């Protein structure tokens, strides 16, 4: 009788440890060898190192390593927000559009937001931001000035219908954001809140641990009169900042002001037709725009033409032109208070056949409209001369007058706005002051930080040819312990003992790489993922109680130190 042959036993499951310690054998970290996209190192590295996975255009899943890093960012934000008396809440992601219709943003932002209807054909909005929602919430409870100030914040998901999602988490359709909203009784109190938040933001970005700059900014469609952006420096940034090395003036190019080396101010004080005077001059460029906005009666559109004249070769700051035109038309009761002007460039030949009034904006470097009168029969409305050109590198600093401006690319990660009563007055968020009968609208501010955007921006600023180099404050794990031979029980015991000793100081911030794979492959993974410290347990650990400590340094080989097991905590602390 033939003896039965015993088939060899193969490992049909991966090694899986459940001893209460963080170990890579039981974690989901799908590393890839895909090439990194040229236009966004952060996106490629976060994919390659197993932090995120793409679900669709601009839509991503945060994997365990990515979520750990995001939670560390959120923890820093929570601590600094609560240090200035802010309370955390959670607002709905599915919004009632009624308050948006009252403020005019429902009609003013078509195409930018995700709108939907329920089974009753009622409009709904997938939250892009929460100014209307929080104002309506506070309005329901606010009665007297004794209830102020109020500072409320949330960290949650937001949605924007990006036309061309790109660069991974830097420009997505769904993202995580912190937004704080403040309510004060006076302008002075609101400015004090603004300064408190500005200091908290400085603390947040200092604790994150990457170089950042604060720049004066435009408020955009959020509204308000005071605004600053918080940027992480990066060559792939979409924003251009102009800064003076002497006086430290820094502003986004959309708001920056600067002096030109030369200007072309004419001596003319009375002109018949400024359009004809300026559209053919050699030292100027002009662009013609059509514009449209909801009319004052809100029963149709108000359409018109505008011409912008700037020095030859300079770009137009369209945001400033739109803001100026928007303010003028509202003061003249020509457009609704709820609307914003939409401008589009059209052919210059339009001016040859015009039969209607043209709004003329001439840059202050080439013409001083404050000293000029126009013939009453002119087809032009001449607006006040302002800085309608985009400032650029090499212009003179308008603040200190002594130095030229330099430019730098950066990624906007935070924005602060003083809103005034833009939302509170429309949504009846008012209070009484003492025995006075009048209802006073609350002075508001809003303050945002893009949490997932910070994740990507830090990866963009902190990487090299081996992987990500996380700041210690954000790394998914502060320490990774790697035995040189995963089959030796003695190495496992030393790794476990190191974990337990260090865990008292680095609670839940240590991981052991106990995967069944080669030592060289594990070390490449530690550099790709970007742990600040890697502890290597090998033969020296058994023979003389020593381990090798590798400190990850951007753009350099890891700093290697041989130390005794007893001294490891002192070196890392």
């Amino acid at each position: 009788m033939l003896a039965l042959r015993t088939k060899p036993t193969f490992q049909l499951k991966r090694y899986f440890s459940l001893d209460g310690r963080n170990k890579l054998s039981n974690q989901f970290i799908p590393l890839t060898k895909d090439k990194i996209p040229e236009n966004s190192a952060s996106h490629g590295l976060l994919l390659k190192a197993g932090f995120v996975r793409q679900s669709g255009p601009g839509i991503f899943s945060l994997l365990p390593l990515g979520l750990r890093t995001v939670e560390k960012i959120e923890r820093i934000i929570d601590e600094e927000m609560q240090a200035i008396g802010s309370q955390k809440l959670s607002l709905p992601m599915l919004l009632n559009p009624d308050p948006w219709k009252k403020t005019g943003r429902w009609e003013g932002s078509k195409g930018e937001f995700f709108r939907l209807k329920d089974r009753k054909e009622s409009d709904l909005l997938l939250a892009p931001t929460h100014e209307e929602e929080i104002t309506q919430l506070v309005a329901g409870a606010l009665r007297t000035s004794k209830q102020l100030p109020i500072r409320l914040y949330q960290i949650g998901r937001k949605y924007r219908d990006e036309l061309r999602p790109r660069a991974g988490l830097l420009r997505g359709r769904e993202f995580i954001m912190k937004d704080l909203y403040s309510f004060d009784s006076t302008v002075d109190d609101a400015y004090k809140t603004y300064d408190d938040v500005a200091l908290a933001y400085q603390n947040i970005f200092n604790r994150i641990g990457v170089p950042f700059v604060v720049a004066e900014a435009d408020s955009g469609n959020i509204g308000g009169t005071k605004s600053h952006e918080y940027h992480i420096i990066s060559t792939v940034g979409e924003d251009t900042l102009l800064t003076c090395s002497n006086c430290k003036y820094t502003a986004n190019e959309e708001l920056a002001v600067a002096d030109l080396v030369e200007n072309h101010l004419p001596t003319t004080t009375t002109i018949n037709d400024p359009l004809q005077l300026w559209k053919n001059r050699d030292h100027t460029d002009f662009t013609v725009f059509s514009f449209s906005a909801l009319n004052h009666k809100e029963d149709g559109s108000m359409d018109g033409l505008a011409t912008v004249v700037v020095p030859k070769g300079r770009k137009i700051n369209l945001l400033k032109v739109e803001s100026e035109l928007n303010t003028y038309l509202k003061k003249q009761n020509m457009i609704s208070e709820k609307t914003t002007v939409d401008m589009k460039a059209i052919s210059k030949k339009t001016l040859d056949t015009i039969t209607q009034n043209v709004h003329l904006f001439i840059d202050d470097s080439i013409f001083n409209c404050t000293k000029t009168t126009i013939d009453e029969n002119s087809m032009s409305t001449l607006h006040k001369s302002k800085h309608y050109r985009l400032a650029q590198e090499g212009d003179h600093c308008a603040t200190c007058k002594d130095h030229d401006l330099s430019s730098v690319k950066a990624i906007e990660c935070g924005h602060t706005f003083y809103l005034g009563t833009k939302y509170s007055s429309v949504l009846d968020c008012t209070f009484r002051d003492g025995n006075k009968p009048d209802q006073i609208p609350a002075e508001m501010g809003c303050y945002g930080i893009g949490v997932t955007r910070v994740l990507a921006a830090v990866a963009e600023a902190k990487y090299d040819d081996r992987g990500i180099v996380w700041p210690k404050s954000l790394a998914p794990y502060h320490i990774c312990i790697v035995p040189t031979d995963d089959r030796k029980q003695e190495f496992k015991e030393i790794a476990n003992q190191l974990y337990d000793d260090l865990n008292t100081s680095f609670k839940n911030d240590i991981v052991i790489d106990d995967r069944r794979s080669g030592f060289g492959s594990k070390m490449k993974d530690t550099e790709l993922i970007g742990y600040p410290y890697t502890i290597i347990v090998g033969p020296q650990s058994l023979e003389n109680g020593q381990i090798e400590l590798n400190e990850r340094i951007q753009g350099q080989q890891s700093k290697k130190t041989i130390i005794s097991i007893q001294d490891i905590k002192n070196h890392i602390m």
Side-chain angles (χ1 to χ4, degrees), residues 222-273:
I222 295 289
T225 57
K226 187 176 184 180
S227 176
H228 288 85
E229 294 170 343
Y230 293 75
H231 293 263
I232 290 177
I233 303 298
S234 171
T235 55
V236 303
E238 294 181 334
D239 289 286
T240 300
L241 306 182
L242 295 169
T243 183
C244 175
S245 60
N246 182 52
C247 68
K248 306 306 179 185
Y249 168 80
T250 303
N252 192 301
E253 68 172 355
E254 295 171 346
L255 192 72
V257 294
D259 295 333
L260 296 184
V261 177
E262 298 179 4
N263 60 38
H264 303 278
L265 290 174
T267 57
T268 305
T269 57
T270 302
I271 53 180
N272 295 324
D273 189 346

Side-chain angles (χ1 to χ4, degrees), residues 408-423:
V408 63
K409 287 290 186 180
I411 301 170
E412 180 191 344
C413 292
H415 208 144
T416 57
F417 304 87
Y418 163 64
L419 298 175
T421 61
K422 174 181 172 66
Y423 295 92

Side-chain angles (χ1 to χ4, degrees), residues 482 484 517-526:
V482 183
T484 58
S517 62
F519 175 67
S521 174
K522 289 182 180 182
M523 291 305 294
K524 286 183 178 179
D525 290 348
T526 64

Side-chain angles (χ1 to χ4, degrees), residues 129-394:
T129 184
H130 281 89
E131 283 77 21
E132 283 85 354
E133 187 68 24
I134 193 72
T135 306
Q136 179 178 257
L137 174 68
V138 172
L142 185 59
R143 298 291 178 268
T144 75
S145 58
K146 295 180 180 179
Q147 294 172 270
L148 299 173
I150 295 172
R151 298 176 182 180
L152 299 171
Y153 80 100
Q154 68 162 356
I155 299 176
R157 293 183 181 269
K158 300 260 196 298
Y159 302 87
R160 302 274 174 88
D161 190 6
E162 287 287 347
L163 183 62
R164 288 180 291 273
R166 57 197 179 277
L169 297 176
L170 290 178
R171 182 65 67 180
R173 291 179 165 181
E174 180 186 51
F175 50 94
I176 298 173
M177 190 168 181
K178 185 282 302 180
D179 40 1
L180 163 70
Y181 299 97
S182 63
F183 300 80
D184 287 280
S185 57
T186 67
V187 173
D188 287 344
D189 288 345
Y191 274 36
K192 172 63 168 57
T193 294
Y194 192 98
D195 292 341
D196 289 345
V197 178
L199 180 59
Y201 270 40
Q202 293 270 358
N203 293 339
I204 288 168
F205 284 97
N206 280 328
R207 290 178 62 181
I208 285 172
V210 294
F212 72 97
V213 293
V214 184
E216 294 180 14
D218 181 81
S219 295
N221 66 2
I222 295 289
T225 57
K226 187 176 184 180
S227 176
H228 288 85
E229 294 170 343
Y230 293 75
H231 293 263
I232 290 177
I233 303 298
S234 171
T235 55
V236 303
E238 294 181 334
D239 289 286
T240 300
L241 306 182
L242 295 169
T243 183
C244 175
S245 60
N246 182 52
C247 68
K248 306 306 179 185
Y249 168 80
T250 303
N252 192 301
E253 68 172 355
E254 295 171 346
L255 192 72
V257 294
D259 295 333
L260 296 184
V261 177
E262 298 179 4
N263 60 38
H264 303 278
L265 290 174
T267 57
T268 305
T269 57
T270 302
I271 53 180
N272 295 324
D273 189 346
L275 271 179
Q276 297 303 320
L277 177 65
W278 290 103
K279 73 177 185 178
N280 294 315
R281 295 181 71 96
D282 293 335
H283 58 260
T284 62
D285 284 335
F286 75 96
T287 305
V288 182
F289 295 89
S290 64
F291 67 84
S292 179
L294 184 65
N295 66 22
H296 184 66
K297 294 182 179 180
E298 300 184 1
D299 59 0
S301 65
M302 188 274 175
D303 304 313
L305 296 175
T307 297
V308 185
V309 185
V310 296
K312 201 166 192 65
R314 300 303 291 259
K315 295 180 180 179
I316 294 171
N317 190 332
L318 192 55
L319 280 176
K320 286 188 179 179
V321 176
E322 287 178 338
S323 176
E324 184 73 12
L325 181 58
N326 200 56
T327 301
Y328 173 83
L329 295 176
K330 287 182 179 179
K331 284 184 177 179
Q332 299 297 317
N333 293 325
M334 300 174 73
I335 64 173
S336 168
E337 288 292 331
K338 299 178 182 179
T339 194
T340 54
V341 172
D342 181 28
M343 299 183 70
K344 295 180 180 179
I346 59 175
S347 172
K348 294 180 179 180
K349 294 181 180 179
T350 306
L351 295 182
D352 297 335
T353 58
I354 60 169
T355 58
Q356 59 177 305
N357 180 70
V358 177
H359 293 267
L360 182 60
F361 300 86
I362 300 179
D363 188 77
D364 60 7
S365 67
I366 54 177
F367 197 66
N368 188 347
C369 301
T370 59
K371 300 178 181 179
T372 303
T373 58
I374 304 177
D375 187 282
E376 61 182 11
N377 296 318
S378 171
M379 292 290 291
S380 303
T381 297
L382 186 61
H383 291 261
K384 183 179 179 181
S385 293
K386 288 189 176 181
H387 198 297
Y388 296 124
R389 68 192 182 279
L390 282 176
Q392 64 184 33
E393 186 173 33

